[in-house]
């Protein structure tokens, strides 16, 4: 009973926010959907922490994974020949972008159920793709893109041992979750 009252209070507070923004209140059906969504997210959070509240966060892995990726990239002759900046510049930009995507990953439902290492890895892979493949202002980036396409998968650089197909699927699902949040944020 107490739990139901708390959820009703959340819905009531949300309706107040909508009123302040001069938007219509939620209908009964929308309120029911919102309650169901809250319950699903609560379940995912509880499942993710498994009642162990000394939970590691993805950012704890990001630093080490970024170093590992940058080291591996700078061992690749094609990458070195194409990339116009130094190692520190790449590391700083990759880490900062990956950190933002990692935080975004926690905003999406798909990422909540993923292993924190996978979310960290997914954030770094997505940040690398975003930084090295999306920007078109630098004349060297087509060469960098070409070098990346000829190299092994980025994920293989950042894991110990061989990456299993199941692990790769989990990371790709986390990337999809990050991409969903990223697209939503770009729309608003």
């Amino acid at each position: 009973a107490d739990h139901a009252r708390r959820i009703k209070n959340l819905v009531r507070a949300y309706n107040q926010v909508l009123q302040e923004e001069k938007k219509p209140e939620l209908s009964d059906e929308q309120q029911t959907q919102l309650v169901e969504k809250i319950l699903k997210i609560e379940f995912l959070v509880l499942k993710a922490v498994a009642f162990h509240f000394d939970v590691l966060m993805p950012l704890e892995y990001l630093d080490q994974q970024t170093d590992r990726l940058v080291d591996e990239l700078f061992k690749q002759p094609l990458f070195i020949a194409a990339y116009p900046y130094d190692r520190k510049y790449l590391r700083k930009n990759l880490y900062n972008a990956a950190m933002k995507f990692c935080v975004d990953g926690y905003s999406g439902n798909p990422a909540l159920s993923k292993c924190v290492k996978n979310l960290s890895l997914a954030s770094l892979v997505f940040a690398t793709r975003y930084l090295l493949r999306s920007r078109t202002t630098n004349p060297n980036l087509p060469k960098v893109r070409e070098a990346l396409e000829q190299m092994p998968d980025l994920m293989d650089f950042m894991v110990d041992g061989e990456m299993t197909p199941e692990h790769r699927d989990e990371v790709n699902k986390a990337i999809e979750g990050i991409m969903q949040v990223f697209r939503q944020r770009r729309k608003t």
Side-chain angles (χ1 to χ4, degrees):
D2 191 40
H3 185 68
R5 192 176 317 122
R6 287 185 200 155
I7 291 177
K8 285 181 184 177
N9 288 341
L10 280 173
V11 172
R12 191 176 304 118
Y14 185 66
N15 272 329
Q16 287 175 342
V17 169
L18 290 174
Q19 281 180 336
E20 289 170 9
E21 294 177 354
K22 309 254 188 273
K23 294 180 181 175
E25 287 187 19
L26 297 176
S27 67
D28 288 341
E29 184 179 327
Q30 289 172 319
Q31 287 182 23
T32 303
Q33 289 172 348
L34 181 61
V35 167
E36 288 173 10
K37 190 174 185 178
I38 290 169
L39 290 173
K40 284 179 186 176
I41 291 171
E42 273 186 356
F43 176 74
L44 288 173
V45 169
L46 289 173
K47 188 176 174 183
V49 298
F51 295 98
H52 299 290
F53 292 100
D54 187 19
V55 178
L56 293 173
M57 300 300 287
L59 295 178
E60 295 177 42
Y61 296 102
L62 193 58
D63 201 43
Q64 177 186 3
Q65 289 175 330
T66 304
D67 287 337
R68 184 182 223 162
L69 176 61
V70 170
D71 289 345
E72 289 297 327
L73 288 173
F74 276 92
K75 289 178 185 175
Q76 304 294 319
L78 286 172
F79 184 82
I80 294 168
Y83 191 71
Y85 304 109
D86 68 357
R87 180 184 299 256
K88 285 182 182 178
Y89 180 84
L90 177 63
R91 192 215 181 281
K92 176 185 167 201
N93 286 299
L94 271 179
Y95 181 82
N96 288 338
M99 185 174 56
K100 290 174 186 171
F101 292 132
C102 210
V103 171
D104 282 352
Y106 266 109
S107 301
N109 291 345
L112 284 176
S113 61
K114 302 297 170 230
C115 165
V116 292
K117 267 189 173 178
N118 291 346
L119 182 56
S120 173
L121 182 60
S123 300
L124 192 54
V125 169
F126 187 69
T128 304
R129 291 176 184 165
Y130 176 77
L131 289 175
L132 299 179
R133 294 183 179 169
S134 300
R135 296 185 179 177
T136 55
T137 56
N138 189 307
N140 290 325
L141 285 182
K143 293 177 194 172
V144 173
R145 279 189 216 112
E146 187 179 316
L148 284 172
E149 288 168 8
Q150 294 177 28
M151 291 168 33
D153 192 323
L154 292 172
M155 286 186 229
D156 294 332
F157 288 146
M158 293 180 278
V159 295
D160 294 319
E162 230 176 281
M163 186 161 217
T164 65
E166 295 82 19
H167 188 197
R168 189 176 301 280
D169 287 345
E170 289 175 15
V171 174
N172 282 326
K173 286 178 186 173
I175 291 171
E176 288 173 24
I178 293 167
M179 287 173 61
Q180 287 174 353
V181 174
F182 181 71
R183 286 187 195 119
Q184 283 178 324
R185 292 224 170 134
R186 289 188 74 186
K187 285 180 186 177
T188 58

